[in-house]
Amino acid sequence: MTNRALIVGVSGIAGSNLADRLIESGWEVYGLSRGRTPVAANVKPVTADLTSAESVKAALEGIDVTHVFLTTWARQATESENIRVNGAMVSNVLDALEQGPSKLEHVALVTGLKHYLGPFEAYATGAVPDTPFRESQGRQDVDNFYYEQEDRVFAAAKRQGFSWSVHRPHTIIGFAIGNAMNMGTTLAVYATLCKHSGLPFVFPGSPMQWNGLTDMTDARMLARHLEWASTTDAAKNEDFNIVNGDVFRWKWMWSRIAEYFGVEPVPFDGEVRPLESRMQESAALWKEIAGRFDLVESDINKLASWWHTDADLGRPMEVVTDMAKSRKLGFLDFQPTDESFYDLFDRLKVQRIIP
């Protein structure tokens, strides 16, 4: 029988790339979103307000799926609000499907490395575990909406009898428009602004990120990992880190990105220069560039997430992720991270997002 998936957050980086993967593998795919962004061809769109149990229940009534992939979250002003809202979103979906026409087989939840680093409002201020981060290190002693989401999945699994998996990517590189956590497109926009205005291509982050080791996650790699865990018995009821498999230093990657765009990388002098404060006047310049090159999106706020890129590149500690658990269970995929950036930049050009 054909696997039937519901992807919650189908228009985001993780969700849209997962949809492409599952459709290619022959799955039937439903995609739940707010309906603001078109979904991929062959995805059956479902529109709902995830924060409303009534809206979700009405939208999912009669939908028959075997697998659920939770790939979205809603950013709130405080972590207590993140816990309340994002925990409820998980329950709203799983409670609605409990009344569905067939029994769920598997639910996969995408979170991230803030499982180890702590939430944004207490980011890396506690006792951060030693790197590389391993799943066996468990939870931090701090409020974290990721933990609430996990607990909601675990409770529903116990009640409904499905298997589960938790997936913790590092910063995701992938194609998506209007996403709140999108470093790849943000850096592409930044490099384009520098190239066409003469602004210096300055690294915005910390000395540790410039000099230390790090890793990232290609959205296509995450999609393969999600499919693997949901269809492999040995991977069920497990939590997993998921990264590309290589490590790099930003002082190397920065020059690679600069070379792609034909800009000169400014040598890092040790001073942190966040993008969010430096790019306050960039909207008008981007609108001019978009008009000059007939780009499809002239609103820079739908492309660049300065705050999120600043948070990632401004970390004061090394962030490296262990993949031994997945490798031991048979997931052996690998993706060079510089090629992930190049593939994204090429697609942004083809789609006329950047010139």
Side-chain angles (χ1 to χ4, degrees), residues 28-187:
E28 184 179 347
V29 177
Y30 292 85
L32 194 158
S33 71
R34 293 169 296 181
R36 299 176 184 175
T37 304
V39 299
N42 299 319
V43 171
K44 299 177 181 180
V46 181
T47 302
D49 174 5
L50 277 172
T51 65
S52 166
E54 292 76 15
S55 175
V56 173
K57 183 178 180 181
L60 295 181
E61 186 175 3
I63 288 181
D64 183 9
V65 294
T66 56
H67 294 66
V68 175
F69 299 90
L70 300 161
T71 71
T72 190
W73 71 293
R75 188 187 184 197
Q76 305 300 310
T78 65
E79 194 60 19
S80 62
E81 279 297 290
N82 275 329
I83 289 169
R84 182 184 67 82
V85 171
N86 290 282
M89 286 164 54
V90 171
S91 292
N92 290 343
V93 171
L94 299 183
D95 289 351
L97 291 173
E98 189 172 3
Q99 311 304 319
S102 62
K103 183 178 177 181
L104 284 179
E105 296 178 15
H106 188 85
V107 172
L109 171 67
V110 177
T111 61
L113 294 194
K114 286 187 291 299
H115 180 93
Y116 308 105
L117 291 163
F120 281 122
E121 69 178 41
Y123 199 48
T125 58
V128 176
D130 290 335
T131 54
F133 295 142
R134 293 182 171 87
E135 296 90 344
S136 59
Q137 290 166 324
R139 296 180 175 183
Q140 297 284 78
D141 186 19
V142 62
D143 290 340
N144 192 322
F145 81 86
Y146 285 170
Y147 307 160
E148 181 71 16
Q149 288 184 308
E150 288 182 347
D151 289 342
R152 299 287 184 113
V153 170
F154 300 158
K158 186 175 181 180
R159 186 174 67 249
Q160 298 179 40
F162 56 75
S163 60
W164 56 266
S165 57
V166 176
H167 304 255
R168 299 178 188 136
H170 195 169
T171 303
I172 300 175
I173 309 171
F175 182 85
I177 304 302
N179 190 273
M181 301 170 69
N182 194 339
M183 180 192 285
T185 302
T186 298
L187 293 181

Side-chain angles (χ1 to χ4, degrees), residues 219-281:
R220 299 166 299 182
M221 174 75 78
L222 174 58
R224 296 195 295 271
H225 195 253
L226 285 160
E227 183 183 26
W228 165 78
S230 69
T231 56
T232 301
D233 287 341
K236 293 177 180 178
N237 302 326
E238 297 285 351
D239 54 352
F240 295 104
N241 298 326
I242 171 62
V243 289
N244 286 344
D246 63 346
V247 294
F248 63 91
R249 303 180 199 277
W250 271 105
K251 63 182 178 182
W252 175 80
M253 187 66 76
W254 201 247
S255 64
R256 303 281 285 175
I257 293 173
E259 182 180 10
Y260 180 96
F261 285 97
V263 295
E264 186 69 27
V266 178
F268 182 59
D269 63 2
E271 181 179 347
V272 179
R273 294 179 170 87
L275 289 167
E276 189 167 28
S277 58
R278 293 170 48 223
M279 295 292 110
Q280 290 298 311
E281 307 301 321

